[in-house]
PDB file of all heavy atoms in Angstrom:
ATOM      1  N   THR A 405     -19.067  12.774 -19.185  1.00 92.00           N
ATOM      2  CA  THR A 405     -18.680  13.918 -19.984  1.00 92.00           C
ATOM      3  C   THR A 405     -19.498  14.003 -21.262  1.00 92.00           C
ATOM      4  O   THR A 405     -20.021  15.121 -21.585  1.00 92.00           O
ATOM      5  CB  THR A 405     -17.163  13.865 -20.291  1.00 92.00           C
ATOM      6  OG1 THR A 405     -16.402  13.758 -19.111  1.00 92.00           O
ATOM      7  CG2 THR A 405     -16.716  15.110 -21.127  1.00 92.00           C
ATOM      8  N   TRP A 406     -19.672  12.863 -21.916  1.00 91.00           N
ATOM      9  CA  TRP A 406     -20.559  12.877 -23.138  1.00 91.00           C
ATOM     10  C   TRP A 406     -21.962  13.291 -22.773  1.00 91.00           C
ATOM     11  O   TRP A 406     -22.619  14.179 -23.419  1.00 91.00           O
ATOM     12  CB  TRP A 406     -20.505  11.465 -23.719  1.00 91.00           C
ATOM     13  CG  TRP A 406     -21.516  11.384 -24.860  1.00 91.00           C
ATOM     14  CD1 TRP A 406     -21.395  11.862 -26.150  1.00 91.00           C
ATOM     15  CD2 TRP A 406     -22.859  10.861 -24.775  1.00 91.00           C
ATOM     16  NE1 TRP A 406     -22.553  11.622 -26.859  1.00 91.00           N
ATOM     17  CE2 TRP A 406     -23.483  11.090 -26.061  1.00 91.00           C
ATOM     18  CE3 TRP A 406     -23.576  10.349 -23.771  1.00 91.00           C
ATOM     19  CZ2 TRP A 406     -24.730  10.662 -26.319  1.00 91.00           C
ATOM     20  CZ3 TRP A 406     -24.877   9.938 -24.005  1.00 91.00           C
ATOM     21  CH2 TRP A 406     -25.455  10.091 -25.217  1.00 91.00           C
ATOM     22  N   TRP A 407     -22.539  12.732 -21.661  1.00 89.00           N
ATOM     23  CA  TRP A 407     -23.892  12.958 -21.207  1.00 89.00           C
ATOM     24  C   TRP A 407     -24.072  14.442 -20.887  1.00 89.00           C
ATOM     25  O   TRP A 407     -25.090  15.057 -21.335  1.00 89.00           O
ATOM     26  CB  TRP A 407     -24.222  12.080 -20.069  1.00 89.00           C
ATOM     27  CG  TRP A 407     -25.654  12.255 -19.635  1.00 89.00           C
ATOM     28  CD1 TRP A 407     -26.035  13.110 -18.571  1.00 89.00           C
ATOM     29  CD2 TRP A 407     -26.817  11.759 -20.174  1.00 89.00           C
ATOM     30  NE1 TRP A 407     -27.466  12.995 -18.480  1.00 89.00           N
ATOM     31  CE2 TRP A 407     -27.949  12.224 -19.461  1.00 89.00           C
ATOM     32  CE3 TRP A 407     -27.047  10.933 -21.222  1.00 89.00           C
ATOM     33  CZ2 TRP A 407     -29.200  11.863 -19.706  1.00 89.00           C
ATOM     34  CZ3 TRP A 407     -28.366  10.472 -21.470  1.00 89.00           C
ATOM     35  CH2 TRP A 407     -29.412  11.032 -20.768  1.00 89.00           C
ATOM     36  N   ASN A 408     -23.110  15.042 -20.233  1.00 87.00           N
ATOM     37  CA  ASN A 408     -23.325  16.404 -19.738  1.00 87.00           C
ATOM     38  C   ASN A 408     -22.893  17.467 -20.712  1.00 87.00           C
ATOM     39  O   ASN A 408     -23.389  18.587 -20.670  1.00 87.00           O
ATOM     40  CB  ASN A 408     -22.521  16.592 -18.428  1.00 87.00           C
ATOM     41  CG  ASN A 408     -23.123  15.867 -17.268  1.00 87.00           C
ATOM     42  OD1 ASN A 408     -24.303  16.001 -16.962  1.00 87.00           O
ATOM     43  ND2 ASN A 408     -22.309  15.115 -16.582  1.00 87.00           N
ATOM     44  N   PHE A 409     -22.030  17.166 -21.685  1.00 86.00           N
ATOM     45  CA  PHE A 409     -21.544  18.268 -22.500  1.00 86.00           C
ATOM     46  C   PHE A 409     -21.769  18.019 -24.062  1.00 86.00           C
ATOM     47  O   PHE A 409     -21.812  19.017 -24.703  1.00 86.00           O
ATOM     48  CB  PHE A 409     -19.994  18.412 -22.301  1.00 86.00           C
ATOM     49  CG  PHE A 409     -19.647  18.870 -20.920  1.00 86.00           C
ATOM     50  CD1 PHE A 409     -19.183  17.885 -20.011  1.00 86.00           C
ATOM     51  CD2 PHE A 409     -19.918  20.087 -20.474  1.00 86.00           C
ATOM     52  CE1 PHE A 409     -18.818  18.294 -18.672  1.00 86.00           C
ATOM     53  CE2 PHE A 409     -19.617  20.473 -19.201  1.00 86.00           C
ATOM     54  CZ  PHE A 409     -19.044  19.624 -18.261  1.00 86.00           C
ATOM     55  N   PHE A 410     -21.852  16.796 -24.515  1.00 84.00           N
ATOM     56  CA  PHE A 410     -21.795  16.611 -25.976  1.00 84.00           C
ATOM     57  C   PHE A 410     -23.093  15.984 -26.556  1.00 84.00           C
ATOM     58  O   PHE A 410     -23.309  16.118 -27.755  1.00 84.00           O
ATOM     59  CB  PHE A 410     -20.638  15.748 -26.348  1.00 84.00           C
ATOM     60  CG  PHE A 410     -19.335  16.229 -26.097  1.00 84.00           C
ATOM     61  CD1 PHE A 410     -18.517  15.805 -25.032  1.00 84.00           C
ATOM     62  CD2 PHE A 410     -18.888  17.394 -26.735  1.00 84.00           C
ATOM     63  CE1 PHE A 410     -17.390  16.341 -24.763  1.00 84.00           C
ATOM     64  CE2 PHE A 410     -17.686  17.948 -26.457  1.00 84.00           C
ATOM     65  CZ  PHE A 410     -16.837  17.429 -25.438  1.00 84.00           C
ATOM     66  N   ARG A 411     -23.956  15.465 -25.753  1.00 82.00           N
ATOM     67  CA  ARG A 411     -25.208  14.893 -26.383  1.00 82.00           C
ATOM     68  C   ARG A 411     -26.139  15.989 -26.808  1.00 82.00           C
ATOM     69  O   ARG A 411     -26.108  17.116 -26.304  1.00 82.00           O
ATOM     70  CB  ARG A 411     -25.906  13.959 -25.386  1.00 82.00           C
ATOM     71  CG  ARG A 411     -26.602  14.606 -24.283  1.00 82.00           C
ATOM     72  CD  ARG A 411     -27.229  13.710 -23.281  1.00 82.00           C
ATOM     73  NE  ARG A 411     -27.642  14.354 -22.104  1.00 82.00           N
ATOM     74  CZ  ARG A 411     -28.916  14.689 -21.899  1.00 82.00           C
ATOM     75  NH1 ARG A 411     -29.817  14.391 -22.754  1.00 82.00           N
ATOM     76  NH2 ARG A 411     -29.182  15.361 -20.758  1.00 82.00           N
ATOM     77  N   LYS A 412     -27.047  15.618 -27.727  1.00 75.00           N
ATOM     78  CA  LYS A 412     -28.075  16.546 -28.172  1.00 75.00           C
ATOM     79  C   LYS A 412     -29.103  16.580 -27.123  1.00 75.00           C
ATOM     80  O   LYS A 412     -29.747  15.529 -26.825  1.00 75.00           O
ATOM     81  CB  LYS A 412     -28.594  16.176 -29.543  1.00 75.00           C
ATOM     82  CG  LYS A 412     -27.596  16.377 -30.677  1.00 75.00           C
ATOM     83  CD  LYS A 412     -28.292  16.080 -31.903  1.00 75.00           C
ATOM     84  CE  LYS A 412     -27.283  16.345 -33.097  1.00 75.00           C
ATOM     85  NZ  LYS A 412     -27.971  16.110 -34.382  1.00 75.00           N
ATOM     86  N   LYS A 413     -29.383  17.729 -26.616  1.00 74.00           N
ATOM     87  CA  LYS A 413     -30.408  17.885 -25.533  1.00 74.00           C
ATOM     88  C   LYS A 413     -31.716  18.196 -26.209  1.00 74.00           C
ATOM     89  O   LYS A 413     -31.797  18.854 -27.225  1.00 74.00           O
ATOM     90  CB  LYS A 413     -29.983  18.970 -24.584  1.00 74.00           C
ATOM     91  CG  LYS A 413     -28.735  18.674 -23.888  1.00 74.00           C
ATOM     92  CD  LYS A 413     -28.312  19.848 -22.867  1.00 74.00           C
ATOM     93  CE  LYS A 413     -27.133  19.442 -22.081  1.00 74.00           C
ATOM     94  NZ  LYS A 413     -25.836  19.699 -22.707  1.00 74.00           N
TER      95      LYS A 413
END
Side-chain angles (χ1 to χ4, degrees):
T405 302
W406 172 81
W407 180 262
N408 289 308
F409 297 105
F410 297 110
R411 72 180 170 103
K412 289 186 178 181
K413 295 178 176 86

